[in-house]
Amino acid sequence: MAALSSGGEVPVAFQDPDYLAAVVDLLGVISYGEISAFERLAEDAKLAPTLEDKVELATMASLELGKVQALHERVRELGADPFGAMSPFRAAIDQFHAHTAPSDWLEGLVKAFVGDGLANDFYREIAAYLDPATRDLVVASLEEGHSAFIVGRVRAAIEADPRSGGRLALWGRRLMGEALTQAQRVAAERDALTALLAGGVDRPGLDLAAIARMFTRLTERHAARMAELGLDS
Amino acid sequence: MAALSSGGEVPVAFQDPDYLAAVVDLLGVISYGEISAFERLAEDAKLAPTLEDKVELATMASLELGKVQALHERVRELGADPFGAMSPFRAAIDQFHAHTAPSDWLEGLVKAFVGDGLANDFYREIAAYLDPATRDLVVASLEEGHSAFIVGRVRAAIEADPRSGGRLALWGRRLMGEALTQAQRVAAERDALTALLAGGVDRPGLDLAAIARMFTRLTERHAARMAELGLDS
């Protein structure tokens, strides 16, 4: 394994092959998520009512893609191939997008806000169980921008047509449900990633009660995001 | 008009309203070209045979979009609205892309290489007639990357299937023809931009012989690019 570019030694945690496998999995799923976020946002940009809106969404797409390189670099430093690391997660993420293809511009905006927010919250929760260098890398890859743009557009649309609020609230619930379905699928298939949350020899882990609390936090933050858009959750 | 951020005074040339209009037009057409290059490359990325190839094309798309902001900033400094500046060119550029939608991955690669190369050569020719600050901005926006990736992929494909060379050579000619058609249309409609090439009070211009020589250079460079791909022009 090559030395980590973040300087200095490979953290002790990486001597545990399960931990190494889990981190490679995690960096793989996050980076494939960002590549498909690029694709989806670039696609949804076509639904934009104005060129200004299109450029906003295209810029969000580029920002997502721009985060991939550092994650891939780290996967290589850990002795793995980034494309190999992404491949176990392609089906779940592709399915998520296939099942939640927005039918219009507003659904695309809500999905960008709620879907990315949910994924980011989840990765932030996991980050607490990582060595500091990996944690910093993961947290840096989750920086969000442009949410003020989305909130402004969605709230204005609901104000102009209050009935659209009901439809978009349902849409938000569907996004949450589909995300949980696919996360469940990944958890069932990727033992190393799941074991990460359960802890290891020299790492703390989560018991079932702690996992339940984590899901409560994720659900509460989802509700807060929906409320920010002016939607019931 | 606000001061130019490139520092210092507004060049004398901008006291000529025709020159000002021409530069706003030029920055408008280049930036809309880059926005639609983003859209087209993001779309063509779907045709990629592998995820690695898809990420290459998506990265090229992001690079194009990344150049837009500086151009828009300058349009604002010149007292104009960037979206207004782009609007006269949307139809021609959209038509170009509608008439040259690649039917497969290789056509998309050839288009990215030949089409962008041609546009960049043309803007570089025009740049010679600009004040230094605008010239530097335009030239910086034309930086190309990733051409080694495209050349490698296209040459390997022709080697594997020599018949595809004939088809792609025809495709290259069609791209050139469609680009000239749309450039002609823009030239006929945008007096200020055309007048830029003809010179002004304190700026040199092109006579017909010089314009003919410019077209010869553009054609030669197009042929050189086709040859680099292993294609007849």
Side-chain angles (χ1 to χ4, degrees):
Chain A
M1 190 195 308
L4 293 183
S5 67
S6 47
E9 289 144 49
V10 175
V12 174
F14 286 105
Q15 292 170 10
D16 174 356
D18 291 338
Y19 180 73
L20 175 61
V23 168
V24 168
D25 264 11
L26 180 65
L27 301 179
V29 68
I30 296 177
S31 52
Y32 188 68
E34 282 164 355
I35 291 170
S36 39
F38 168 89
E39 290 190 87
R40 180 244 306 166
L41 290 167
E43 186 69 23
D44 295 351
K46 293 182 193 165
L47 301 168
T50 68
L51 186 55
E52 285 88 335
D53 285 336
K54 183 184 279 188
V55 171
E56 285 279 352
L57 226 59
T59 303
M60 288 172 67
S62 290
L63 289 175
E64 292 285 347
L65 193 75
K67 298 167 182 170
V68 171
Q69 205 181 340
L71 298 169
H72 281 186
E73 212 42 65
R74 181 63 58 100
V75 172
R76 285 193 195 94
E77 288 168 355
L78 293 172
D81 169 58
F83 289 88
M86 294 191 294
S87 67
F89 306 103
R90 289 179 65 176
I93 291 177
D94 289 351
Q95 283 287 308
F96 172 76
H97 289 304
H99 292 170
T100 58
S103 65
D104 64 15
W105 167 245
L106 286 175
E107 287 189 3
L109 289 184
V110 170
K111 180 175 170 183
F113 188 71
V114 163
D116 291 357
L118 195 53
N120 289 352
D121 280 349
F122 180 60
Y123 295 136
R124 259 190 220 101
E125 291 277 354
I126 291 186
Y129 301 91
L130 300 172
D131 61 283
T134 308
R135 181 166 62 230
D136 290 350
L137 179 70
V138 166
V139 170
S141 81
L142 305 179
E143 261 179 83
E144 285 153 70
H146 294 256
S147 60
F149 161 74
I150 296 183
V151 171
R153 284 291 189 281
V154 173
R155 295 193 81 107
I158 296 170
E159 200 161 305
D161 173 16
R163 284 167 314 168
S164 66
R167 177 173 67 88
L168 292 173
L170 275 176
W171 175 243
R173 279 198 281 283
R174 192 163 135 211
L175 291 168
M176 181 64 158
E178 189 65 32
L180 288 176
T181 303
Q182 298 302 336
Q184 182 69 35
R185 178 175 165 186
V186 167
E189 285 172 10
R190 303 303 293 177
D191 288 343
L193 202 52
T194 316
L196 183 68
L197 290 176
V201 178
D202 55 355
R203 289 173 294 106
L206 289 175
D207 58 17
L208 277 179
I211 288 180
R213 284 195 299 276
M214 182 181 87
F215 273 99
T216 304
R217 284 193 297 275
L218 291 175
T219 308
E220 284 169 357
R221 287 195 210 114
H222 171 71
R225 257 189 306 273
M226 293 292 281
E228 202 180 338
L229 292 173
L231 299 171
D232 295 330
S233 59
Chain B
M1 190 196 305
L4 295 181
S5 67
S6 46
E9 287 145 49
V10 174
V12 173
F14 285 105
Q15 292 171 9
D16 173 356
D18 292 337
Y19 180 73
L20 175 62
V23 168
V24 168
D25 265 11
L26 181 65
L27 301 178
V29 68
I30 295 176
S31 53
Y32 187 69
E34 283 164 354
I35 292 169
S36 37
F38 167 89
E39 289 190 270
R40 180 244 307 165
L41 290 166
E43 185 70 21
D44 294 352
K46 291 183 194 164
L47 301 167
T50 68
L51 186 55
E52 286 87 336
D53 285 336
K54 184 184 276 188
V55 171
E56 284 280 351
L57 226 60
T59 303
M60 288 171 68
S62 290
L63 288 175
E64 292 285 346
L65 193 75
K67 298 167 183 172
V68 170
Q69 205 180 341
L71 298 170
H72 281 186
E73 212 41 65
R74 182 63 57 100
V75 172
R76 285 192 195 95
E77 287 169 355
L78 293 172
D81 170 57
F83 288 88
M86 295 193 292
S87 67
F89 305 103
R90 291 179 64 175
I93 291 176
D94 289 352
Q95 282 289 305
F96 173 76
H97 289 303
H99 292 170
T100 59
S103 65
D104 64 16
W105 167 244
L106 286 175
E107 287 189 2
L109 289 185
V110 171
K111 181 175 170 182
F113 188 70
V114 162
D116 290 358
L118 195 55
N120 288 353
D121 280 348
F122 181 60
Y123 295 136
R124 259 189 218 101
E125 291 278 354
I126 292 186
Y129 301 92
L130 300 172
D131 62 284
T134 308
R135 182 165 63 229
D136 291 350
L137 179 71
V138 166
V139 170
S141 81
L142 305 179
E143 260 179 85
E144 285 153 70
H146 294 256
S147 60
F149 161 74
I150 295 183
V151 170
R153 284 290 190 278
V154 173
R155 296 193 80 107
I158 297 172
E159 202 162 303
D161 174 15
R163 285 168 312 171
S164 66
R167 177 172 67 88
L168 293 174
L170 275 175
W171 174 244
R173 281 200 279 285
R174 191 165 136 211
L175 291 168
M176 179 65 157
E178 190 65 34
L180 288 177
T181 303
Q182 298 302 335
Q184 182 69 35
R185 177 175 166 185
V186 167
E189 284 172 10
R190 303 304 292 178
D191 289 343
L193 202 51
T194 316
L196 183 68
L197 290 176
V201 179
D202 55 356
R203 288 173 296 106
L206 289 174
D207 56 18
L208 278 180
I211 288 180
R213 284 195 298 276
M214 182 180 88
F215 272 99
T216 303
R217 284 193 298 275
L218 292 175
T219 309
E220 284 169 357
R221 286 194 211 116
H222 171 70
R225 257 189 305 273
M226 293 292 281
E228 202 179 341
L229 293 173
L231 297 171
D232 296 330
S233 59

